[in-house]
Each structure stands twice: as structure tokens, then as C-alpha cells.
Amino acid sequence: MQSSEATEARQPARSGAARSRAGRGRLEWRTLRLWLAFAWLVVIIGVAVLADVLPFAEARNPGKTLYEPALATPDLASGHPLGTDRHGLDLLGGLAYGARVSLTVGIGATALGCLIGMLIGLTAGFVRGRLDAVVGLLTDSMLAFPPLILLIGAVAVMRPSVLVVTCSLALLTVPSYVRLARAHTLTLVPREFVLQARALGATSSRIVFKELLPNVVWPMLSYSIVVVAAMIVSEASLSYLGLSVQRPNPTWGNMIAAGQDSFQQYPHLVLVPAVAMFLTVLSINAVGEAVRSRELRNAR
Amino acid sequence: MRAVLKRVTHLVLVLWLVSLATFLLLELVPGDPATAVLGTSGTPDQYAQVRAQLGLDLPLHERYLSWLGGALQGDFGESLTPPHQDVSAALAARLPVTFQIAACGLLLALVISVPTAVWAAHRQGRIFDRWSSSGVFAVMSLPTFLIGIFLIQGFVFHPQAMQTAALLVAVGVATGAGWTAQRRAARGDSPWSLVLVAVLASVLVLLLIVAWPTFPRQGFSRLGADGGLAENLRHIALPVLTVALGELALFTRVLRSEMIQTLDTGFVEAARARGLPTHRILLGEALRPASFSLVTVAGLSLGSLMGGTLIVEVLFNLPGMGRLLVEAIESNDYVTVQAGVLVLAAIYVLLNAAVDLLYRILDPRIRHAEQ
Amino acid sequence: MKRSRTLAAAALSTLLTVAACGGGGQSATPEGEAPTGGEACTAELAGGKITMGVGQATQTLDPVTQNSGGNGGSERAALYDTLMTYDPGTNTYAPHLAESLASNEDATEWTLKLRAGITFPTGNPLTADVVRQSLERHSADASTSNIVNILEFVEELEVVDELTLKFHLSEPYGTLPFLLAGSGGEITNPEVVKQLGDKFGQQATPAMGLGPYDLERFAPGEEVVLKAKKDYWGGPVCIDEIRFVYITGGQPTYEALKLGEVQMAYLTDARAVDLAKRDGVAGYSSNSFAGAAVLMNNGVRGGKPATIDPKVREAITLAVDPEVMNKRRWDGLGAASTSLVYPPESPLASDVSGPKPDPERAKELVAEAKAGGWNGKLNLVCPNDPSNQEAAIALKALLYSVGIDVEASNVATADLIKAVIVDADYDLACWGVGAQPASPYLAFSGFHSESTSNYSGFANPEMDEAIDALQAAQSSEQQREAIGAIQTVWNAAFPAVVYGSPESYIAVDDSLRGTIQTSWGTVLFHKAFVK
């Protein structure tokens, strides 16, 4: 997954001639789409941050919902606008707390992976030699290791929690960040400003942090937007397999897993978290796409 | 020659690191294969006895070295938990299932995404491009397990609805293509490619009416089993479609953008100027140079899919590698996990190397750059 | 990944064939079994293939193993046949490979006579000595058989003559026939056992036993394929091939039956059972008594968990409302009750019912225990199948509502066994009792202070006495009385929390005829045919 994304990130997007061929109406739709994506992201982030303050019905402690209706169908007029699950837990509240987990893991894992990967990649690309070879060997080994086995193992060693899942997913993103950062560094090292700094007697660490880092950060960040979306999907998949945060603490993935067997009778158990996740990932992808095409335009 | 040697050393080192990492990881995982051997009926003494029998009381490095020694001679040993069978045999039974799902899924993804991407690039910014890009974007935002759940709901539980939908789409395509073909003919262009599309769609409609298979909710039928190919295809249809939908977004996007770039280059312009028909330009001239990245991406996808079809295996209850390894981890059968991870890693690195090689052979740019 | 049902229930099920033989000196008459609906295979009906959907992938086909109907029971019965068969309809046993089985007055000596002229496909005959060897594999040192507990009573297996075997027991045991209708009665071919050793039952080998089928393919986690024998001792075998496929989830299993993918489905999920019954699908029903239960650690092997305190145990028992558990675990469709035997129509259901839930009293007890220095925290370990995940959440919720803070974890089967049996490191565990009418003794013996399968450390002299009475009980009446006594002690001493007796249902497609239900969850195919 990571490697293919990295490959895609290296792909040049459409050329200028192609862009001018796009119609005017298309541009407006693109803008509208982008704004809608932003709006959804603002809502979902807001809800995730404010979940404790907002007046949701109980969504996490089934001990408090013994007398709530179980498996209530969505009804906007009731106290449970999106319905309840088997244990009487509110699905709207579940969405909010699930968003918190998804976003924490998605952003946390990406940030951590990006930071570690970038530093290693920068150093390896700058120092070269034996260190570079060792780093190359390690990243290749990490990429060859089946990611699910690593995740299952990590979760089995330490009990599944947001922190464990974030760290293990971060570990999985490290190799592609290392490669990306190293590749960028290699193109920068022979450039004039680096040579100049070297000629002026700057120390290696100064060159890495003052000269190279600022130039490597931006491409990393734009790639990171897509990675956040991928991490949210990965977290949901882990939750779905029962390898992330455990019920009754809601995540989008574990809500879907718990509801899938009764899809026929109670489709809302699956559809509510599924739609939320789909819209979130779609929005992040849309923003990522916009950022990338803007970047390409600037580059030209 | 030295480059090849270097490459091989690198591969061997990677595999060794992977095996070491697997071993250490499993050492950390709490649990005890003896419980899987004895089940609920053992006494604490019996558990200790079984642990000794399985060699679990030996020191860490001794166990690893003895495993490594066996593995180097091609002997992966016997699984620690019942059924006690040769790990090689267990892997040989599971690997083809995963490979079939992964390879067929990839193939289907390519079959869908290549024409879509080529046509979208050709009609860039027009309605087909917009719709297909949006569709691809949407599919990209759906996790595999949701795609699977929805496919099961549709194809297994509401087959009539899916049949009707497929019918409508096919009829729509057939009429649309027929209508455009007529307009083209009126303008004096060749309508034959579109007539072909219309005929194919009509045949598909007929096929759908005559034979719509019932898809099983889960399970697998091997090629060698009594049902033969037909049963096998019926069982793998939905898993393969799930895998294909998961992969095709990336393929389409990669090929489309490469294709657009290629269509802008000089030699395609030259072909246009020579008055070559569209399909010759697209397929004969532009597709080959545009498809190098796709080859890379597809090769890497196959590598990661071999170890990454777990969700599909769980959803459709397929006897593949993913489930074998997960169950082995659950019962702490490190012998099986070790061998499985090593095989998957080997497939991954070999595919990677093969893709690299292919890329070098195919792409004149790299060849020239190196000369 | 998803291993279903409570472990003990799965483990004990096949052994516990139903016994309701007459009074002392009982004997079973060699009249043969009654095929369902009076239909049976004849040479003209031969042909066809069927598939059965089972919920657990069996890991071995050796009878010396964990055994239950949904976990290889029917496969093994088809491979080996059994000495006796059980008819749940009439609550009687019939000899099958045996000619007869009779006991002395106090059930301490049983005489088994075998049918003459039965030979293994390898040519060696079925003799008393072969039966002895087969049973001794169960009681061998490294054996993982769960009839070990019963074989401990067997002082001597005396080979009287070629076809007669005498069981000399050290203690009275009233329901020995059930042993011989389950895995104990599945006679293994000594020649193949000698040839394969440890690998017996783990690879497809011909002539493993005396049953109507041979093992064609054994792919663990995927399928078991059986092929009909040409020269079965009991006459022609109609169905050429039986496939047992492993399906995850109760509802998918039933859906496979409706879609025609399988002709027989082993259902344990309350919702699937309900669907099958409402759709009018024929099938065999049985309840696993007290199969939904929570084991409370009573200080096994010197541990000092909070659940040693009788107040805490009582509070937990009174807090677990079976109706709430039913709603949340089984969508209100399960067989929920705190009684050891449910439904009340069962011949073993005594007048004494289980403890009544009383959350108010439970709160008081918790408050008292906390005043005594308890921090109000407990851990709960449950299997990780979907149904037990719901159960764990519901239990946590119910206990939270009376002031107990439960940390629940759902783990793989192996880890549950490790926590409960190997390490004895748990407070509460989802661990079904899972008794069957035939020999409820075996399941309840886990609460006897001297039992090797006592994993909770519960020890109570009155309970021991009641369990001893159950062990000696022969008739349904005697067993019912003994279970009533156990329930009385249970209601005062709270060894474990019972909240239901899950029903399992073997749904059978209309096209499949002549199958015979024997002990729980096991179906015999030697008279079956496809219509």
C-alpha cells in the first residue's frame, strides 16, 4: 500500500495543455467540491474535538444504557437521531468518538512516520556511504515484511489502544517516507546553495537542518495528506478485524464489524459509520488532490 | 555481473532480517502453543510436558538456529499445533488460493482500468473523463472491507436488483453506442468500433438474462475439485471483484496521467499529423510508452496483495495465506508463521526485482540514461 | 479467526450423549436404530453428494481429541461408527457396532458384547481386544481426550472372550452407554494407528475405522471430504461423497443452506436458529444446559482473587439479568435462564430454579464488600467470536450498573485456555458449563472439589455430595433429583453465573433423507440418501 502510494506520488499530474482544455463549468464544480470537502472536514474535526461537550446521548458506556432502546432505527425527531446499537449506545455519539479515534490515528501516525522517515531519509541521502546502505537494507526489509503480520503481532504484544495502533501504523509508513526524503535529498545535494553552504564551512548538521530540511518538508507534507486518508482506512480495517480500539469504545471500523451480520434487519448499524468514513476519506483525498495540482502549477 | 551479485546478496540479507524480525516478534507475543495442542482437557503438568516436547523450553538462539538450519535445507518443519502437518504442505495448500485471488483481482483491475484510463485520457475534460474520474475517486475512498460487504449484500442477497441494474447498464451502453455509431456513419466516419461495442453489450445483456450465476456467500472450490473451473470461478467471482475494485483506482489514475503526458509528446503529434486513426494512435503509439509506471505499480500491488488479502479471506472465508498466518499467530505456532512470512517476503522481493528488471528492459529512457 | 461458542460446551458436547436407560441392570436391545421418518437407504437410492456446513473447523479426526458435533463429531462418526447409538426422541440407546451393553445393579460393572463378523477394510476383525486398545488410547498419559475423567473410574478393561469386554469401575457410573455412543465408542483401526502413530487422524488415510466412509481429503480450516465405502458392514451406503465445509458465522451458515450451497447446516447462533425455525426448515434441536455461563475464580491453586468473597460472587450472580443478556447477545431470541437446565420441558429440569436477578441487593452486597476493603475492580476474559464480544460488553454493563468496574478482554481460544487452565490468572471468564441430558455429570463434575477439570477452585462438601449422586444416577428421575440438589447448593454458594442454555439446531434440507441424530450435534449418515 505505502509503496504504491509513493509511486503514485511520483507521478506527474496532467500537463498544462491538458488543463486549459478543461471547461469552465468543471472548474466551478471543482471549487464547490473542494469547499464541500473542507466543510465536512471542519464538521468532523469539530465534532471529534468537542465530543465530550456536545449533548450526545451515551455512546461509550453500555452500563448507563441498560434502559435505553436497543437497536433503535434512525429517527431525527428522537433522542437518537441516527439510532442505537445492540447495547442501546447512541450511533451519533459513536460517530463523534469514532471520528476522534480515526483522526488521532490518521494524523498521529502520519506525523510520526513522516518525522522519523524524513530525518532518516535526509541523513542517509546526505551522508551516503555505509549508513545509506544499511538504511536501504532496513527499509527494504520493512517493506518486504507483510504489514498485517506486523500489526497483529504488535497488537498481541501490547493490548490494542490508540497509542499502539498509531505507533505501529507510523512504523509502516516510515520506509516510504525514508525513500521519498532520500530521493529528494539526492537531487538537492549537488545544488548550488548546498555547495555554497559547504564552501562557507557550514557543519553537516547545519546543512541538513537549515538547508536541506526546509526544501524537503513541503513535498513530504503534500504527500502526507494522502497518507492521512490511507491511515484512516488502515485504522478502520484494523478495527474491523478487531485489532484496534476495542468495543464498547466506538470506532468506525468496529461499529461496522459489529453490525455487519445484521445488515439485512438493521442496515443503519453499518451504513451510519460507513457513510461518515467514506465522506471523510473522500474529503481528505479531494483536498490532497487540490494541493497537489496547485503545487504542480506553482512548480511550472 | 558484480551488480547481479550485489543484488542477490541484498535480497538474501533482506530475507534474513525478515526472518529474524518475525522470530523476535513472535517471541514477544504472549501465549503458548501447548494450549492449542491440549485444548481444555489438560492439567498444568501436561502443559509443561507438551512445552518440553515441542522444544519450547530451549533457549531463544538455539530454537532460531535450528529453525534456520532446517529452512536453509528447504525443511520448514512441522506445525506445532494440531493438525501436525508439514508446514511446507500447509503453505502449498494455501498459497495457490491467495495467488489466484490476487492475480485474478489484479488482472480484472487492469482489464477495467486500462480502457477506462486510455479513453479518459483521450477525452480529457469531457463527460466520460469527468464521470470515470469521479467514480475512481469514490472507489478510492472506500476501504476493501466495505466494498466486500456491499458486494455481498448486492450479489448474494439481492441478486435480482443487481441483475436489473446490470441489465439497465448494458442496455444503456448498447443503445448509446448504437446511436453514436449511426451519427458517425452519417458524418462519414467509420462506425465499426462502436458497432462492436453495441454488439458486445447486447450479447452481455442476453448472457445476463440466460445465465446469472448464484454467488456463494463464502467458501472456496479448488480447481482440481469436482466442480472444476466453473465452480471455482463462481466462488472466486466476488472476492476477485472486491480485490479488483480496491486496486483499480490507483491503476486508472496512474495510467491516465501518464497517457495524457504521452499524448502531448512529439511523436504522437506526428502520428496524428500522418492521419492515423484514433485507436491506432491510442493503442499502437501511446499506450506502450505510457504503461511503464503501470507495470511497476501493478507488480508492486501483486507483491503486497500476496500478503494483504486477509480481509478478503476473512470476509469470504477463503483458505488463503492470510488466515493461515493469523490462526497460527493466535495459537503461537511460530514455526508456521516463520515459514509463511519468509515465503511472502521472498515473493515480495522477487517480484520487486522482476519489476525493476522489466522496467529497465522496457523503458528506453532508463536504458539510454545508463548507456 | 472467529472460533465460536463457549469452550467447555464445545469440548464436552459429544461426550455427553443422552442417557435415560431404565433402572438398575439396564440393557439395550439389539433392535437397530430408527431412521428418520422411516426412510432408509436401499441399493436403488444410491448416488449423490451432499455438503454440510459446520461452524468450527476441526483440527484432527482422531477420536482421542476435543470433540463436539459442530467440531468434527459427524465426520468422525462417519469414519469410525460408534459402539452404541442414542435416540433423543425416545431417550434410549441402541447397540450399533455392539451386540449389547448391560450393567450390574449398582452400575459398577458393565458388559459389552460385540457384533460378530465385522472387519476393518484391512481385514483385521473387530474384537474385544481392539476395543480395549482403542479405549486405552484415550487414557494414555499424553492423551488430550476429554473422556479421561470418566476413564479414571475404569479400574480394569477385562477381555472376557473374543467378543466380550467387561468394564470394572471403581465408582458407580450410571451413564456409561453415552461414553460408547460418543468418541469412546469410535473404534480406531489398530493397524493404521500403529502405522501412523502421532499423525493418526491428521491426514487422509484409508481404513481408519469401521464407519461407512473413508477419509478422502482433510484440509484443516477448509474442508473434510469423505468417500463412501463399498463394503460397509451395515449394508449399502447411498451418498457417494460428503463434504464438510467450515463456514464462519451462524447466519452465513444458514444462508448457505437457503442458497443450496449446503444440504445440512450446524447452527448455534440464536438468530440463525430462529430464522431456520420460522422458515420451517426441518432439523434436530438440542440445548446445551448452562452453556452460557461465567466462571468465577474461587481461588484456584492458591490465588486470592476478589471473587473468593461469597458476597462478591452473590452480587455478580444477582446482577446478571438473563433477559438483558438475551437481548444484547441474542437479540432476545436465545434460551436465557439462570437455571442449570433449560427449557423447563426437558426431562432433567428440576423444580428448583436458578437464582433470581436482584440488582438492588447486588448493589448492597457490592457496597458491603467495598467497605471490607475491595476496590470494586474485576477482570473478565472471553473468547473473541462476535457473540461472545456482545456477551462481554453486556456483562460489563450489568456489573457496572451495580458498582463493579470490569475490565473485559476478548482473546483467542488458546489465550483463554491459557488464562483459565494453565495460568489460573483470571477473575471472571466466559466459560460455559454445557451439560447434556445423557451425562450431565461430566460437565458438572468441574465443580467437584477433587475433579481435575475444576478450573475455578470451587470447593463445597455439599456440592461434592450432590455431584456424587449425579455420577451414580442412572434414570432420568435420579438425574433430575441430583440436579435439583446441585441447583439448591448452587443458589446458596454461587460457583458460577449461568444465564442461558443455548440451543443448537442442525438444519436439514428437504432433499436429504434418512439421517439419524445420535448424541448432541452428531448425525449418522449410513442410512442417508438424496431424494
Side-chain angles (χ1 to χ4, degrees):
Chain A
M1 181 124 204
Q2 275 75 40
S3 58
S4 37
E5 242 134 38
T7 322
E8 202 207 359
R10 276 185 254 123
Q11 297 307 315
R14 66 189 62 82
S15 62
R19 167 152 294 280
S20 60
R21 250 182 260 148
R24 216 190 177 155
R26 169 111 194 266
L27 274 176
E28 277 162 22
W29 165 232
R30 283 179 73 92
T31 322
L32 178 67
R33 204 167 62 174
L34 196 59
W35 279 113
L36 282 176
F38 270 124
W40 173 261
L41 288 178
V42 167
V43 168
I44 210 77
I45 291 173
V47 150
V49 172
L50 300 175
D52 293 319
V53 191
L54 292 171
F56 295 128
E58 183 59 45
R60 291 192 292 180
N61 187 344
K64 291 183 183 162
T65 57
L66 286 178
Y67 306 103
E68 291 290 318
L71 293 168
T73 44
D75 176 1
L76 293 180
S78 73
H80 301 290
L82 295 181
T84 60
D85 73 355
R86 289 220 145 68
H87 300 273
L89 297 172
D90 187 50
L91 288 188
L92 180 62
L95 274 195
Y97 288 104
R100 182 180 283 184
V101 173
S102 287
L103 293 173
T104 313
V105 173
I107 297 171
T110 309
L112 200 61
C114 181
L115 188 71
I116 299 171
M118 192 164 59
L119 290 179
I120 296 177
L122 257 179
T123 319
F126 179 74
V127 177
R128 304 299 303 270
R130 203 164 274 176
L131 179 76
D132 194 24
V134 171
V135 167
L137 187 65
L138 286 177
T139 45
D140 279 356
S141 309
M142 282 170 78
L143 284 173
F145 201 94
L148 263 165
I149 304 297
L150 182 75
L151 292 169
I152 292 170
V155 166
V157 176
M158 298 160 283
R159 293 192 54 184
S161 67
V162 173
L163 186 68
V164 170
V165 172
T166 306
C167 292
S168 5
L169 283 177
L171 193 62
L172 289 182
T173 61
V174 166
S176 47
Y177 275 114
V178 170
R179 287 186 164 188
L180 206 57
R182 181 178 169 276
H184 278 287
T185 313
L186 288 184
T187 61
L188 292 174
V189 168
R191 294 265 291 273
E192 221 159 276
F193 65 94
V194 179
L195 297 178
Q196 217 165 22
R198 222 191 270 259
L200 290 173
T203 58
S204 292
S205 68
R206 197 187 149 80
I207 295 177
V208 167
F209 287 104
K210 291 275 157 151
E211 306 294 339
L212 295 175
L213 189 67
N215 284 292
V216 175
V217 160
W218 289 113
M220 295 281 129
L221 287 187
S222 85
Y223 170 58
S224 293
I225 299 176
V226 194
V227 178
V228 170
M231 286 300 108
I232 289 179
V233 168
S234 302
E235 190 282 329
S237 306
L238 285 182
S239 276
Y240 173 77
L241 291 172
L243 299 169
S244 178
V245 176
Q246 301 287 302
R247 292 174 66 219
N249 285 319
T251 67
W252 294 341
N254 74 23
M255 286 163 84
I256 293 172
Q260 62 170 345
D261 273 353
S262 10
F263 197 110
Q264 320 276 69
Q265 300 111 294
Y266 310 106
H268 68 283
L269 294 183
V270 170
L271 291 180
V272 166
V275 168
M277 175 162 53
F278 174 67
L279 289 178
T280 308
V281 176
L282 191 68
S283 303
I284 296 178
N285 279 334
V287 172
E289 179 94 343
V291 168
R292 203 183 327 162
S293 53
R294 198 197 173 100
E295 200 170 68
L296 280 164
R297 233 180 306 157
N298 290 348
R300 277 193 304 272
Chain B
M1 193 61 222
R2 264 196 62 194
V4 172
L5 199 69
K6 211 173 150 191
R7 187 96 206 196
V8 170
T9 325
H10 186 77
L11 290 192
V12 171
L13 276 177
V14 163
L15 292 181
W16 175 69
L17 280 175
V18 166
S19 89
L20 195 64
T22 321
F23 190 78
L24 292 176
L25 182 70
L26 286 173
E27 199 51 40
L28 291 174
V29 172
D32 188 348
T35 56
V37 176
L38 286 168
T40 49
S41 60
T43 57
D45 294 343
Q46 270 183 317
Y47 288 106
Q49 205 181 327
V50 169
R51 284 184 63 79
Q53 251 172 36
L54 295 177
L56 294 176
D57 46 1
L58 294 175
L60 196 63
H61 62 275
E62 260 178 59
R63 267 189 293 147
Y64 179 70
L65 288 179
S66 88
W67 175 85
L68 193 65
L72 286 178
Q73 292 162 22
D75 174 19
F76 285 133
E78 206 173 76
S79 60
L80 291 183
T81 55
H84 298 291
Q85 50 180 357
D86 279 340
V87 171
S88 319
L91 294 181
R94 299 301 188 98
L95 211 52
V97 180
T98 301
F99 180 74
Q100 196 190 7
I101 300 294
C104 291
L106 216 62
L107 208 64
L108 183 61
L110 287 174
V111 165
I112 299 171
S113 62
V114 169
T116 311
V118 168
W119 196 248
H122 174 55
R123 312 282 291 172
Q124 197 204 350
R126 309 282 282 275
I127 191 156
F128 180 83
D129 183 31
R130 290 215 301 264
W131 278 82
S132 66
S133 293
S134 304
V136 161
F137 215 67
V139 170
M140 205 173 73
S141 305
L142 275 174
T144 315
F145 67 91
L146 267 181
I147 296 178
I149 290 177
F150 290 140
L151 285 182
I152 288 171
Q153 283 306 316
F155 283 97
V156 180
F157 295 118
H158 303 99
Q160 282 91 0
M162 291 311 281
Q163 211 170 345
T164 319
L167 214 71
L168 286 178
V169 170
V171 169
V173 169
T175 26
W179 186 64
T180 328
Q182 208 185 2
R183 267 198 348 186
R184 275 196 167 197
R187 268 185 308 172
D189 291 348
S190 159
W192 292 114
S193 55
L194 282 167
V195 169
L196 189 71
V197 170
V199 168
L200 279 178
S202 316
V203 170
L204 198 68
V205 173
L206 281 177
L207 271 179
L208 285 179
I209 296 170
V210 177
W212 179 272
T214 58
F215 295 104
R217 164 71 182 79
Q218 42 172 259
F220 186 72
S221 174
R222 282 173 192 272
L223 271 173
D226 292 335
L229 184 64
E231 261 310 89
N232 176 261
L233 288 180
R234 198 172 68 90
H235 278 85
I236 65 166
L238 292 183
V240 162
L241 192 55
T242 311
V243 170
L245 285 174
E247 299 294 315
L248 69 81
L250 185 64
F251 295 175
T252 315
R253 286 165 61 92
V254 167
L255 184 60
R256 178 180 167 277
S257 65
E258 283 279 287
M259 194 75 187
I260 287 172
Q261 244 197 349
T262 318
L263 286 177
D264 267 351
T265 52
F267 75 98
V268 175
E269 299 286 335
R272 277 218 181 92
R274 270 186 285 143
L276 281 181
T278 312
H279 66 94
R280 283 284 303 278
I281 295 175
L282 290 179
L283 303 179
E285 303 287 328
L287 182 58
R288 206 184 87 101
S291 60
F292 297 132
S293 311
L294 187 65
V295 169
T296 319
V297 173
L300 294 180
S301 284
L302 184 62
S304 49
L305 270 180
M306 285 305 293
T309 55
L310 175 69
I311 287 195
V312 175
E313 288 170 25
V314 168
L315 258 173
F316 295 97
N317 195 23
L318 304 171
M321 285 295 283
R323 270 188 39 220
L324 178 76
L325 291 184
V326 168
E327 280 158 20
I329 294 179
E330 280 194 347
S331 55
N332 281 88
D333 180 359
Y334 73 87
V335 177
T336 303
V337 181
Q338 284 276 81
V341 170
L342 190 66
V343 168
L344 289 180
I347 292 175
Y348 182 88
V349 294
L350 288 178
L351 270 172
N352 253 332
V355 165
D356 232 39
L357 204 65
L358 200 65
Y359 200 86
R360 271 154 204 275
I361 293 171
L362 282 180
D363 192 343
R365 281 172 293 187
I366 291 191
R367 254 196 331 230
H368 291 215
E370 282 182 356
Q371 271 161 14
Chain C
M1 272 190 99
K2 293 165 185 168
R3 258 165 236 162
S4 58
R5 287 176 302 130
T6 49
L7 275 172
L12 300 175
S13 52
T14 316
L15 313 172
L16 308 174
T17 46
V18 186
C21 304
Q26 55 191 259
S27 73
T29 46
E31 276 176 0
E33 49 287 345
T36 318
E39 294 175 298
C41 164
T42 57
E44 302 85 66
L45 294 168
K49 293 173 180 182
I50 60 158
T51 306
M52 177 172 182
V54 293
Q56 276 187 303
T58 183
Q59 298 301 318
T60 165
L61 291 166
D62 189 347
V64 181
T65 181
Q66 306 295 314
N67 228 344
S68 80
N71 183 10
S74 300
E75 291 93 313
R76 284 186 280 265
L79 287 174
Y80 303 103
D81 255 353
T82 47
L83 288 168
M84 310 289 291
T85 57
Y86 169 70
D87 182 355
T90 56
N91 260 6
T92 51
Y93 288 102
H96 186 55
L97 286 170
E99 183 83 29
S100 67
L101 178 66
S103 81
N104 65 354
E105 191 67 32
D106 63 351
T108 52
E109 205 179 281
W110 292 78
T111 310
L112 171 76
K113 282 204 181 341
L114 297 170
R115 266 180 215 260
I118 297 180
T119 53
F120 288 98
T122 41
N124 44 328
L126 171 68
T127 63
D129 193 53
V130 167
V131 174
R132 185 184 59 78
Q133 288 176 36
S134 189
L135 278 167
E136 278 174 354
R137 287 185 71 231
H138 286 269
S139 47
D141 269 349
S143 156
T144 61
S145 166
N146 38 12
I147 55 171
V148 169
N149 284 0
I150 297 171
L151 290 171
E152 275 170 9
F153 307 144
V154 180
E155 271 186 335
E156 193 199 345
L157 286 171
E158 181 196 350
V159 177
V160 179
D161 61 41
E162 188 81 336
L163 294 175
T164 313
L165 185 70
K166 233 180 199 163
F167 294 76
H168 297 276
L169 308 183
S170 57
E171 292 173 41
Y173 182 53
T175 46
L176 192 80
F178 108 91
L179 179 90
L180 303 183
S183 59
E186 291 172 348
I187 307 305
T188 47
N189 187 345
E191 294 198 354
V192 180
V193 170
K194 203 193 298 166
Q195 183 196 327
L196 292 181
D198 280 350
K199 295 226 172 110
F200 183 82
Q202 308 198 352
Q203 46 184 257
T205 330
M208 291 159 72
L210 295 163
Y213 287 87
D214 256 337
L215 185 54
E216 172 86 3
R217 178 158 195 269
F218 178 40
E222 184 186 347
E223 62 174 9
V224 173
V225 184
L226 306 181
K227 270 263 182 319
K229 273 184 194 156
K230 295 269 180 301
D231 49 355
Y232 176 56
W233 65 270
V237 184
C238 276
I239 299 172
D240 294 330
E241 186 185 288
I242 308 178
R243 277 178 78 216
F244 294 85
V245 294
Y246 159 59
I247 305 180
T248 50
Q251 293 188 76
T253 314
Y254 177 60
E255 283 147 9
L257 184 85
K258 278 215 301 198
L259 293 167
E261 303 287 330
V262 301
Q263 284 69 47
M264 199 176 216
Y266 189 87
L267 307 174
T268 50
D269 179 72
R271 283 162 289 186
V273 172
D274 179 67
L275 275 178
K277 285 180 165 176
R278 270 194 290 152
D279 289 349
V281 179
Y284 305 117
S285 160
S286 53
N287 286 73
S288 152
F289 297 149
V294 182
L295 204 61
M296 297 188 273
N297 190 342
N298 280 268
V300 61
R301 281 192 260 138
K304 290 265 175 274
T307 37
I308 286 185
D309 185 350
K311 270 189 203 134
V312 174
R313 291 211 305 272
E314 184 176 0
I316 295 169
T317 309
L318 297 181
V320 177
D321 182 342
E323 274 319 305
V324 173
M325 292 304 294
N326 193 1
K327 267 201 204 119
R328 295 189 164 195
R329 181 173 178 184
W330 299 307
D331 288 7
L333 303 166
S337 161
T338 58
S339 299
L340 295 177
V341 173
Y342 185 88
E345 302 86 61
S346 160
L348 295 188
S350 72
D351 301 336
V352 192
S353 54
K356 283 211 171 42
D358 185 349
E360 291 313 312
R361 175 83 188 118
K363 276 181 202 162
E364 288 169 29
L365 287 163
V366 169
E368 282 173 36
K370 280 183 176 169
W374 177 43
N375 62 6
K377 286 191 201 304
L378 290 176
N379 69 51
L380 165 71
V381 54
C382 288
N384 59 4
D385 61 283
S387 180
N388 269 302
Q389 283 177 19
E390 305 299 339
I393 297 172
L395 285 167
K396 188 178 156 83
L398 283 166
L399 294 176
Y400 175 87
S401 71
V402 300
I404 302 175
D405 184 11
V406 171
E407 192 184 319
S409 54
N410 290 91
V411 300
T413 315
D415 295 330
L416 179 67
I417 295 173
K418 185 169 158 62
V420 174
I421 303 182
V422 185
D423 298 342
D425 180 19
Y426 71 100
D427 295 333
L428 304 173
C430 295
W431 194 274
V433 178
Q436 269 289 297
S439 188
Y441 162 73
L442 192 70
F444 288 119
S445 71
F447 296 95
H448 193 291
S449 60
E450 285 164 18
S451 166
T452 49
S453 59
N454 184 336
Y455 305 128
S456 68
F458 179 81
N460 180 311
E462 288 167 56
M463 183 65 95
D464 289 357
E465 201 177 299
I467 291 172
D468 286 339
L470 182 60
Q471 177 191 325
Q474 296 185 31
S475 67
S476 286
E477 291 76 35
Q478 288 166 343
Q479 289 180 335
R480 185 167 60 225
E481 210 171 292
I483 288 174
I486 293 178
Q487 182 84 66
T488 309
V489 184
W490 194 284
N491 294 353
F494 313 104
V497 187
V498 172
Y499 63 87
S501 297
E503 179 183 5
S504 61
Y505 194 73
I506 305 173
V508 188
D509 186 74
D510 216 28
S511 65
L512 177 57
R513 303 296 177 92
T515 54
I516 302 163
Q517 183 190 21
T518 173
S519 50
W520 179 29
T522 299
V523 173
L524 301 176
F525 291 101
H526 61 286
K527 299 276 190 205
F529 62 94
V530 179
K531 195 168 176 179

